[in-house]
Amino acid sequence: MDHPNQGQTSQRKRGRFAPSPTGDMHFGSLYTAVASYLDSTSQGGEWVVRVENLDPPRIVAGSLQNILTALDVHGLQTTEPRVSQSQRLHLYDAALESLQMAGKLFYCTCTRKSLAALDGGYPGTCRTRRDPPEQGHAVRFRLDVDRAFTFTDQVQGRQEYAPGSLSDFIVKRRDGLHAYHLAVVVDDALQQVNSIVRGADLLDSTPLHILLQQALGYPTPEYLHLPVLTRNGQKLSKQHGAPPISLQRPVENLARALELLGQPVPQGGRPNDPAGLLAIAAGNWQRHLLPRETSIELTCS
Ligand code: GLU
Ligand code: ZN
């Protein structure tokens, strides 16, 4: 019998960075971008950027330009033009349509308040509602998982979700916006991304993504979840006010990212241009050196 990964090994690696323009680029995003970039390009693969701008109220003016400039200043070149989710709504609608035809969706009128006591789980209240109600509603994807669900992450190892721990989730929100879980799955598949490197805060979203891929007939990419960087126990994030990275010190920023990624950092004759440093880092890249925690607390600035 063929080795189950045989098909993948001959495939060119195709990674992506999927920033949300909800604030300026901070160090946690740079570190994720560097890992994804090097993991793909070290093997002659491709690397694409997708702007995740589905949620207009959360967009911060000027932040997309800041993120793109930061990628550029750090030598993180894409292999093709970037795409923006706001231009792809028809693709998400088409996926919803196909899920609908397969009987995988239902209309949910539960409010956040009515579900608040349930700790994020969904008890299946509206599962049988197949026709859109008059009142406000979200659209949920119906999970039919009665066994434990497992997948293997390239860094975090085997992940197991007990029966009943995953629940029907929203694919189209009550306010009419397409949900992240839907868009990310559609985009990764249509962009032919086969290797996803991102923060471990998204580890528990991965079973949902895999189940959606299966329902849509998409292949499942490999997943590699990096430890999230924290300060004072909180993820470095735009929401928690992580400071923007300095665009004046790209080589230092890259060196610090490599160090946190457990990779050798060229010393002494370190090139003073970011692209040169990235080229050396790509030559040295070794997945097995990546840290395996789910978070790393940063001690100094
Ligand atoms: N847009 C998400 C973020 O900025 C990343 C989603 C993903 O990598 O799947 O956190
Ligand atoms: Zn409901």
Side-chain angles (χ1 to χ4, degrees):
M1 204 183 105
D2 286 348
H3 184 276
N5 285 331
Q6 203 166 40
Q8 294 213 337
T9 50
S10 57
Q11 227 175 35
R12 194 155 184 202
K13 202 176 275 285
R14 203 164 145 85
R16 49 68 156 182
F17 178 56
S20 307
T22 53
D24 286 355
M25 185 94 149
H26 60 80
F27 187 70
S29 312
L30 179 74
Y31 145 100
T32 308
V34 167
S36 162
Y37 174 89
L38 291 177
D39 193 63
S40 288
T41 59
S42 63
Q43 300 187 36
E46 292 151 358
W47 189 68
V48 300
V49 169
R50 177 174 71 236
V51 181
E52 303 215 317
N53 55 354
L54 276 185
D55 196 348
R58 291 186 55 225
I59 293 173
V60 172
S63 64
L64 175 59
Q65 199 46 54
N66 173 275
I67 293 167
L68 298 176
T69 303
L71 291 174
D72 197 47
V73 164
H74 288 83
L76 294 158
Q77 300 271 357
T78 61
T79 46
E80 59 196 67
R82 67 176 184 278
V83 304
S84 290
Q85 289 189 324
S86 58
Q87 307 292 311
R88 298 166 66 82
L89 306 186
H90 57 292
L91 301 172
Y92 313 136
D93 281 331
L96 284 175
E97 177 96 30
S98 113
L99 292 169
Q100 174 77 309
M101 306 257 281
K104 298 294 293 176
L105 302 182
F106 65 89
Y107 297 93
C108 171
T109 53
C110 300
T111 58
R112 198 170 291 199
K113 206 168 148 199
S114 71
L115 297 173
L118 298 167
D119 206 21
Y122 180 73
T125 320
C126 309
R127 278 198 127 192
T128 53
R129 190 183 286 118
R130 295 291 174 85
D131 296 312
E134 300 266 304
Q135 74 223 83
H137 62 266
V139 180
R140 277 183 197 265
F141 177 73
R142 184 191 169 102
L143 289 189
D144 295 299
V145 187
D146 47 9
R147 287 177 293 159
F149 181 89
T150 62
F151 74 95
T152 300
D153 184 82
Q154 301 296 317
V155 156
Q156 307 292 338
R158 184 174 182 254
Q159 306 295 310
E160 180 161 340
Y161 294 83
S165 61
L166 303 174
S167 47
D168 304 332
F169 59 92
I170 293 179
V171 284
K172 190 162 187 192
R173 294 166 22 171
R174 184 182 264 266
D175 58 12
L177 297 180
H178 297 99
Y180 157 71
H181 295 312
L182 175 74
V184 76
V185 163
V186 171
D187 285 336
D188 284 330
L190 298 187
Q191 294 190 281
Q192 298 178 319
V193 168
N194 54 22
S195 180
I196 294 181
V197 175
R198 60 185 181 188
D201 51 322
L202 291 167
L203 198 56
D204 289 340
S205 294
T206 306
L208 311 183
H209 298 174
I210 295 174
L211 289 162
L212 261 183
Q213 285 151 7
Q214 292 172 350
L216 286 161
Y218 296 154
T220 288
E222 62 171 4
Y223 284 96
L224 190 163
H225 286 88
L226 301 166
V228 293
L229 303 182
T230 64
R231 187 164 277 139
N232 304 321
Q234 289 209 311
K235 181 191 169 206
L236 285 196
S237 70
K238 297 155 191 163
Q239 286 73 18
H240 292 140
I245 44 173
S246 161
L247 301 183
Q248 315 305 320
R249 300 164 35 99
V251 168
E252 288 78 1
N253 294 338
L254 289 173
R256 176 91 173 112
L258 289 173
E259 187 189 330
L260 285 162
L261 291 164
Q263 305 297 311
V265 180
Q267 299 297 333
R270 182 191 290 175
N272 54 18
D273 72 301
L277 181 59
L278 282 175
I280 296 177
N284 290 338
W285 181 254
Q286 291 182 69
R287 258 194 190 179
H288 73 92
L289 296 177
L290 290 170
R292 292 178 182 272
E293 300 89 335
T294 51
S295 67
I296 296 177
E297 171 72 13
L298 298 178
T299 45
C300 51
S301 59

